[in-house]
Every structure is written in structure tokens, then in C-alpha cells.
Amino acid sequence: MQSAQASFENIRKDFPILERTVRENKTLVYLDNASTTQKPNQVIDAINDYYRNHNANIHRAVYALAEEATELYEKSRDKVANFINVKNRVEVIFVRGTTEAINLVAYAWGRDNLKEDDIIVTTEYEHHSNIVPWQLLTREKGAKLEYIGMNDNGELNLDDLDKYLATGKVKLVTFSLVSNVLGTISDAETIISKCKAAGVLTLVDGAQAVPHMKVDVEKLGCDFFAFSGHKMLGPTGIGILWVRKSILETMNPFHGGGDMIREVHKYETTWNDLPYKFEAGTPNIADVVGLGAAIDYLSNIGMDVIRQHEIDLTSYALDKLSQVKGLRIYGTKDISKRGGVISFNFADVHPHDVAQIIDEEGIAIRSGHHCAQVLMERLNVAATSRASFYIYNTKEEIDALINSLNKVARIFKL
Amino acid sequence: MQSAQASFENIRKDFPILERTVRENKTLVYLDNASTTQKPNQVIDAINDYYRNHNANIHRAVYALAEEATELYEKSRDKVANFINVKNRVEVIFVRGTTEAINLVAYAWGRDNLKEDDIIVTTEYEHHSNIVPWQLLTREKGAKLEYIGMNDNGELNLDDLDKYLATGKVKLVTFSLVSNVLGTISDAETIISKCKAAGVLTLVDGAQAVPHMKVDVEKLGCDFFAFSGHKMLGPTGIGILWVRKSILETMNPFHGGGDMIREVHKYETTWNDLPYKFEAGTPNIADVVGLGAAIDYLSNIGMDVIRQHEIDLTSYALDKLSQVKGLRIYGTKDISKRGGVISFNFADVHPHDVAQIIDEEGIAIRSGHHCAQVLMERLNVAATSRASFYIYNTKEEIDALINSLNKVARIFKL
Amino acid sequence: MSNADIYHEMIIDYSRNPINYGKIEDHDVTFHDSNPLCGDSIDIDMKIDDNKVSDIKFHGKGCAICMACSSVLTEIAKGKNIDEVRNISKTDVLGELGLENLQAVRIKCALLSLKVLKSALYSYLGKHLDDSQDVDKLKEEAANLY
Amino acid sequence: MSNADIYHEMIIDYSRNPINYGKIEDHDVTFHDSNPLCGDSIDIDMKIDDNKVSDIKFHGKGCAICMACSSVLTEIAKGKNIDEVRNISKTDVLGELGLENLQAVRIKCALLSLKVLKSALYSYLGKHLDDSQDVDKLKEEAANLY
Ligand SMILES: Cc1ncc(COP(=O)(O)O)c(C=O)c1O
Ligand SMILES: Cc1ncc(COP(=O)(O)O)c(C=O)c1O
């Protein structure tokens, strides 16, 4: 414990932004990690080094720089494969982020595999990026979008899943492994085994899971898996779609363009091998390299150590927040079922006002609907405040958050 | 002239990679700028600074970092608008690159506006990214893709355009402003005015134009315009789609997800204002900021000065290359109709072998089909070698290229 | 602008006890809009008699700033004729509450109800007048408010 | 590996005068593939008698390395029985021309014809044998060549 604690203190030194002051000379307390994380020097330096020493377009040229750039790019693919235990590297596709990953599946798999009256099942606590693409697709196809409901503890009602699966019309079940608002860790094992038994494919939105705990897609057994680099110390503009090869091989391309083709003729074209068939155009090479550095950084610490650190912080924060009079916390208190995300409301004060008042103390939390308006409706709230933690956060920062809430209470005469 | 020359020498100091040696201690001579350009310190530093001081997710949060990040992001949109003379900033959409831009149009405009037997017209010298998306779309719709042919000088046969327009079935004419293989500058004025007269929309692929000459989309008068940041000193992973507002307003969204919505309900959703409706998910914030720095850098030099520098280099190179025995240059020799791109073949030596042999001398050129296989078929060659210039290139580097070709001649006993 | 300045008594009071809060069942025009980024959402109902806003109410969900500004705005608009209402500006609303220097994200909270009011007006004028140019101008104006 | 080593006499000669270049009109199997990145493209035709490659020819477009390797490969394969042809490895081809240390991009030029040969074989076996497992293994092998 001691030494783990000590090493987490060293970690902060790797993040230059944490030395910043904001507003009136207040130390930055960054607690919006579910939205995006800060970047360590190692990641910033990898991007730097790429541009200063190796930058070239990849795959096609024979000269030295192109060879180096291609190698760096493809090495990152291996790192990703290894990080989430993908056996076949060609199943790893680089995209902009989780949103593009899910849209790619909706277009390149969904349009060929969904027909009238088919059903896609999602959940009430999904991020908009795991709802809207399916609304667009089901509308186009005359198919239906259904929702697995949630109990008041923020856990999915798997009876709903059974009910939809029983119709025999479900083509895909899609859910987030960890909710970005409630922190709920979905019971993926049960969901996926039910779907497998019914012969239904599954997509897992891993945006809030991969950065925070060990994820093994082989073990999960899903068919599609999506996550974003910027939420795991990596740069903006890069994310991953993993698709099981047997499915990926049946999919038509999404974007047309350079690199995804084998032979282009005026009126017909053949496709490149996997994964290139799905990586049209010049990719975001520098940020793929940056993501590789982020994965190295996380692996060096160890995902289990990171998860334990977040459990410590989250338990501490849940405990402290519960003691604040008038403060309501959403979701389960069972820490084994919850990631490092805490949504709350403070008396009758709107979350925007909370966030703005504590921002003046240097504390950055998110307020609003968190791209989860369906969940807001379910919770019957307009918005929540949300604090979310990562490897560089400390108990002192949680104390600072609690302190700042006193100011809110004072201003709003709570 | 003297002072312009001097300032171009200073420019090289801004590009750290140009100090590199490659292979056996050879100075790098980077002549593959049509593929991607190198980055000045100013761009690398802007990305650095973003991550070290301002990184946060944009648009949604009230805290200080989010405010700064949003401002930096939106300022880059203004810079882009200003750079290509867009009057209404909401018409500027950030995408990954030219390829994504064109695919966005094919999906979000094309699928709603193309029907059976309609025609889309492209040209024989397009990049795959301006061919394959239209093949996919026309196949889906039972529509046709037709090609404007090219004369042996590498100029488009506008009679072909007249012929297709006369059918009354053309919905879109799409062409690159500058060919990435031949360097031909298309006669955009004539093409667009013919299309306007026929009530047909136009898409201009500006990937090889915007980095090299002043482009004014207002004056051009096209309806869609696409280009890539990485070909104009900017980072990888960022590009621009511009769409005339009256058309953009009629378009359905492309990707569904965060930021592009107004209100999400379980079964229906309304869309955000332009341009956000077309920017789903966390965008590539850092690289948008980096692109802004690239635009500042180019604007400081001045696009007319850059064009003149490339004219000087290209004339010099055309002259020198014509003197190499057995070397064949493709495309026009009229420098006023040509950008800084020269494709050639050297006797019976395959371009790959040329590129590999001169790579050993540190000289980086591209060989292959340059993502333009339709053009290769038209030229009746398997591949070409291509040298392409940018602001940091010098006449000495062209001399080095010419010298290295002697080695090719020696090895292949020409 | 520090929070001490923003969150003064009046804002807190209005947020808890908004003025003109509610619905008008027999309204002549109603309009709904929301802020896509934060989820604030406002409806405005108006009765219009003799070219005058004879009654106006709002309802919806929003932060203290949104609620206070909606209260103040509806108070300003009530009883005014249509031309006067058209001319209500940002600064009229922000000034009333001392919020002139609000940061960009929060400006959207403060001015959402003004946007809804202008939109309500063009929807009314669109139905009752045929000076479509005027209506377009108003539409543009509402769209470019922030 | 420097170019002096790569571009030796034999490569240059083969590139100008490839061996086994051409088509076999009455082939028993033919296969085409190309390298998506550079555009090199190779067809291989084979006659197979008594489980033996009685004749083999290639045609297509490619660089000196591609042409030389295709020449050498077809020379190796000619006359061999199917099992022996199946077992032709990268190093058999590269070794013959001293190209063991070729850089990654160029390996694809060197081995394109071997990939086409393996693919031709599985297409032949797929039609003439029903040991589909074996064919799948061969297919996988061809796909993973580089
Ligand atoms: C659960 C979940 N899914 C999807 C997303 C969308 O990710 P991105 O914005 O990186 O595309 C997010 C993050 O905002 C998320 O938390
Ligand atoms: C004319 C042209 N169009 C489109 C592209 C594709 O651009 P990107 O790969 O950045 O998407 C390129 C560059 O390769 C190009 O030269």
C-alpha cells in the first residue's frame, strides 16, 4: 500500500498540466476524467518525436522515413492488440474515437444485416454515441430500437433482455461496459452469454472501461468492441474498433479511398486485406503512435493497480460525499460494481451553478446531461454534477472538492 | 528575389526533421510533399502547448480548461474560414482528412439526393478517395459514375463534361483542383460555370491546392470543398469539409453521437446547429489547434510567395529532369497550369527500383500508383516516380535528385 | 467576473422563485428550444392582443442564471408591443442582472430564453404577417444570438 | 542491406529477361493477385499432371525484385510435385537471390509471386481434393506470408 501510494505521487510529476493554476491562482483539481484525461510527458514526447524525427505517410513508400513511420504505426496496433488481448492484430481498426467506431458498425455491418422489424437492443444508461447511430439505422431500415431498463441502483434489468431476445428478432445487443454517468459496471458476462445462446451479436462500448481496468476481449466474448484513446492518457483524434474476424470478413467497406483498396478500375474495385480495408485515407499516424505510448504507460503501472487506486479514491469520495447534507448520489454504492465516476445533485442547486462556483476554486467537474439524456429522463433530473477520477488524482483533491461544496451551500443558503 | 530566397533558407530552420540524416549518414532530401508535408516547430509546439496547458473536452463544461480548449478549437475554425475565404464559419466542418470529407458528402448528401440512373461525374486523374466513395454510392443507388477524360498533356477534355451534362441526369461533378500525380491545375472556373448553368452541384478536392496556392471558395463558386491538414504543415488526423450553407442545411447527419444532437429521447432525436450536427463525438481537438498554427505559419509567408517559390523550383526541376537521357515526364510543361508535382519514368527501370536506389542517397520520393490507378491505366503505365516540392525545398535538393538518378543509370546499365 | 458577482441575491431568489413561471393554456404562440450542450430547456407561451404581448409565461429546466434571465426577460416583454419586443437585446437582459461579462458557455444559459422569445415571435409573425423577409431576418437574428 | 547488395547482376538480368514469363492457354489453374500498396500485379498459370507441376508461367507488372523473384520461384516449382511446391518457403526464394534481409515494404514485392503460387495451389486443391481443412491451412499460410 505504502509503496503504491508513493508511486502514485510520482505519477503526478509526469503530467505537466497538473502544475497549472487556474482562475485566481488556484491549483487545478481535475476531476473530469470520464470526459477526457490529461496526458503524461511520455505521450506528448512520443508525438513530438514522431514529428521531429519520423514523419512520413505510411505503407506505400520505400524511403527510410516511410519505413520508420509505418513501423511505429503498426507497432501501436500490436500494443493495442496485446493490451485488450486480441489474438489477431488484423481485427484492430484505428478510428477517431468510440463514436466513429460505433457508427462504422452501424453503417458497414448494420446496413447489410438489419431488415424491417428486426430489433437492436441498447440500454437506458448509454452514451448518445451508443443510441443515436442505432436510431438512425433502425429508422432507415424500418427496424426497432429497444432499451434494457435500469433499477434504482443503476443496474440493468436483464429480464428486459430476455423479453426482447425471446422475440427472435434481435440482431444486435449493445451496451457500455461501464456507464459514464453512474459508473455502473455492466454484468457483461451474463448479457453476452444470453446473447450467444440466442445467436445474437454483441457490441461493447468500452470507452469508460479500458482506461480503468483490465479488459480482455477474448474472455468477454463479444463481437464488436469500441474505445477512445483520449480517455486513457492518449491523444485526441484516435480510437479503436475491434471486430471479430469472422464478422469483419463479411463486412463491406465503410469509407472509400486510398489504402483500403486492392485494385481500382473505372467501374469496379477490389478491397485490401484486413484491417486496411477499413482504414481509408491517411490515418492519424502521430496520434496512433501517441496512443501506443499511453498504452505503454498504463501497462507499466498495471491495470490492476490502477483499478485498486480508483477503488480507494472512489470509496473515499462516496464516503465523504454522503456526509454532505442535501447531496444525493446516483448509482450503486457497491464499489465492486462501480468505476471511478460519481454523479450527484446538491439540494435544489442546478449542476451548472455547482460546477461554476467550484470552478472558481480550481476544481474541474462536469455538469449537465453527460451525453446521456435518456438516462437523465429515467432519473427524472435535468442534469447531474459528475466527478470522475484517474491515476493522478488524490484524496486531498477529493477533500478540496468537498470543501468547495461548502461554498456552494453558502451562496445558495443551503 | 534575393530576400525571398533568404527567407526561404530561414524557413528550413523551423523544421527539425530536415536536420536528420537517414540510411548511411545521408542528409534527408524530402521530396514527397504531395503525400504528406513535414511540420515546423510552431505546429509541434502548438500541439505540445495544448496538452501541457489547456487540454479538456470542449463545448460542454464550464470550468476554466474547458473554456480555454473550446476557445482554441473554435479559433482554428475561424482561421480556416479566413484562409479559404469562407464567409460563414458554420460551413466549416472538421473531419479526419480529405477522404473522410468526401465520404461524408457521399453518405450524408449522396444517399438522399441520388436515384437510379442519375449520374455522378468525376475525372480520370482523381485520387482514389474521389473515385471509390462514388463507386460505392452509385452502386448502392443503381446510378452511374462517369469520367471526364484527359488529353496527353494531362488536361481534362471538357467536351466530355458537356456530353454528360447534356443528359440532364448529372447530380454532381467532382474533381481535384490540382492532380496529385500530374500536377495539372484544373480549369475550375470553366467546369464550375458549366455546372452552374446546368444546375449541377460541384465538389472540389482541394488536397493538393490549398497547401500550395491561394484558394478562395467564394470565388470558386463550388458547393463542396475538401482538404487535409497533414499536406499543409498541419498534423495528421485533421481535415476540412466546407459545404455551402444552403446545402448543408438540407443534409441529414452522418455520424450519430455526442455533440451533434439537440435533444435525445428514446425514440426520437433532434439535431444541433451547424456545424456541430456534423461533428459527432469528441473531435481531434489538439490537431485542430495544430492546424490553426499551420495556417498562421503559411499566412505569415503568404500563399502567393509560396506559389512563386514552387514555380521556381518546379521550372528548375522540369528543366533538369528533361536533360536526363531516357527520362519521361508526364503532364503539361506549362508552369502556369501545373503545381509542384512531377511524375516521371526512367527508361525501363521500375519506379520502385528508382525510389529504393535513390533512398540510399537520402532522397525520399514516392513511387507507385499514387492512389490513382485509373490514371495509371490511362497513361498505360504500372507506376510512376514522383517528386513533389514544398516551401522548405531548394534547388540544391533538386540537384541531389538528379545526381542520384545517375546511380540508377549505373546500376541498371542505362 | 467572479462568482461572488454572478451569484448575487437576485439571481438566487429568481432561481428559487421565478416570475412568470408557468403555462398559458390559450396562448397565441408557443415555442420550445434547448441548449444542446447542457440540456437547459425552455418553453415560452404568449398571448398577443392588438399587437401587444398581453401575457407571457415560461417554463422549463435550467440553472439559476437561465431561470433568473427568463424571469427578467418575460418581465421586460410583458405589455410591450411586438416591435418593442423585437428590439429587446442581449444587454437589456444581461444588464438587468449585472451579467454583462459572463463567460461564453454561460452566456448560452443566460440567453436561451431570449432566443426562444425571438423564435416564438418569428413563428407568430410567419403565421400572421406576410412580410417574409422580416421574418427571415428575425430568424437569423435568433440563430446568431450567441 | 545496401542497394549494392540488392541490385546485383542477377536481379537486373532477370528483371529484363524474366524466365517462365508468359501465359499457359490450357492451364489447369490460374491465379491473380496484386500488392495494394504499390500496384505490382502477378498472374500465375500452371499445368498439373500426375500431381506434378508440369508447366508454370507468370506474367504481370512489377519491379526488378518482383520480376526476379517470380523467375526464380517458377524455376524452383517447375517439375516438383504438389507437396514439394506447398513446402516452398520464403527463404527458398529470397535465399536464391541473396535477399534475406530485404526491408519490409520490399519483402512484399519479393514474395507476391509466392503468395500467388500458394493461392493458385489452394484454389486447385479446393476443386480437386476435399480435404478442406488442408486447403484452409494453405489459404491462411498464403495470407500470412508477409
Ligand atoms: C460510455 C461512452 N461511450 C462513448 C463515448 C464517446 O466517445 P468519443 O467522444 O471519444 O467518441 C464516451 C465519451 O464521451 C463514453 O463515455
Ligand atoms: C488529390 C488528393 N485527394 C485526396 C487525397 C486523400 O487525402 P487524405 O489521405 O488526407 O484523406 C490526397 C492525398 O493523398 C490527394 O492528393
Side-chain angles (χ1 to χ4, degrees), chain A residues 34-35 96-100 102 127 129-130 176 178-180 205 207-208 228 230-231 371 386, chain B residues 57 60 280-282:
Chain A
S35 181
R96 181 169 37 250
T98 308
T99 304
E100 188 181 28
I102 296 174
H127 189 278
S129 66
N130 205 13
S176 49
V178 175
S179 152
N180 70 317
D205 172 351
Q208 297 295 342
S228 298
H230 70 95
K231 292 183 197 283
C371 297
R386 182 186 71 183
Chain B
N57 217 325
R60 281 170 296 213
T282 304

Side-chain angles (χ1 to χ4, degrees), chain B residues 23-24 348-350 352-353 356-360 368-369 373 381-383 407 411-414, chain D residues 1-4 6-7 9 12 15-16 36-40 61-65 103 106 109:
Chain B
R23 301 302 179 199
E24 294 174 7
D348 67 343
V349 186
H350 193 285
H352 278 12
D353 300 315
Q356 169 140 15
I357 291 168
I358 71 175
D359 166 52
E360 197 122 324
H369 54 59
Q373 290 188 331
V381 296
K407 191 175 168 192
I411 289 181
F412 274 84
K413 308 191 181 86
L414 298 180
Chain D
M1 190 171 203
S2 99
N3 290 324
I6 297 174
Y7 289 99
E9 204 85 15
I12 311 284
S15 83
R16 292 226 167 92
L37 301 173
C38 65
D40 283 0
K61 299 182 254 184
C63 58
I65 290 172
Q103 64 190 111
R106 303 313 300 286
C109 304

Side-chain angles (χ1 to χ4, degrees), chain A residues 281-282, chain B residues 97-99 127 129 180 205 207-208 228 230-231:
Chain A
T282 304
Chain B
T98 308
T99 304
H127 189 279
S129 65
N180 70 316
D205 172 351
Q208 297 294 341
S228 299
H230 70 95
K231 294 182 196 283

Side-chain angles (χ1 to χ4, degrees), chain C residues 39-127:
Chain C
D40 284 0
S41 121
I42 290 289
D43 287 85
I44 288 184
D45 300 343
M46 287 191 283
K47 285 243 18 118
I48 296 184
D49 295 301
D50 281 344
N51 243 11
K52 252 191 184 156
V53 176
S54 59
D55 197 9
I56 179 167
K57 284 197 188 307
F58 80 96
H59 63 277
K61 299 182 252 183
C63 58
I65 290 171
C66 176
M67 287 296 145
C69 288
S70 302
S71 296
V72 163
L73 171 68
T74 48
E75 208 44 24
I76 295 175
K78 201 189 276 181
K80 293 232 162 55
N81 71 38
I82 286 182
D83 273 343
E84 290 170 318
V85 172
R86 278 195 64 163
N87 289 328
I88 298 176
S89 73
K90 310 186 202 196
T91 40
D92 292 337
V93 177
L94 298 174
E96 193 77 19
L97 289 162
L99 295 174
E100 293 89 344
N101 298 317
L102 214 55
Q103 64 189 114
V105 226
R106 302 314 299 286
I107 280 281
K108 296 182 190 184
C109 305
L111 296 183
L112 175 61
S113 51
L114 182 57
K115 190 175 173 199
V116 173
L117 176 65
K118 300 231 164 190
S119 302
L121 217 56
Y122 84 69
S123 125
Y124 178 82
L125 293 174
K127 265 180 234 144

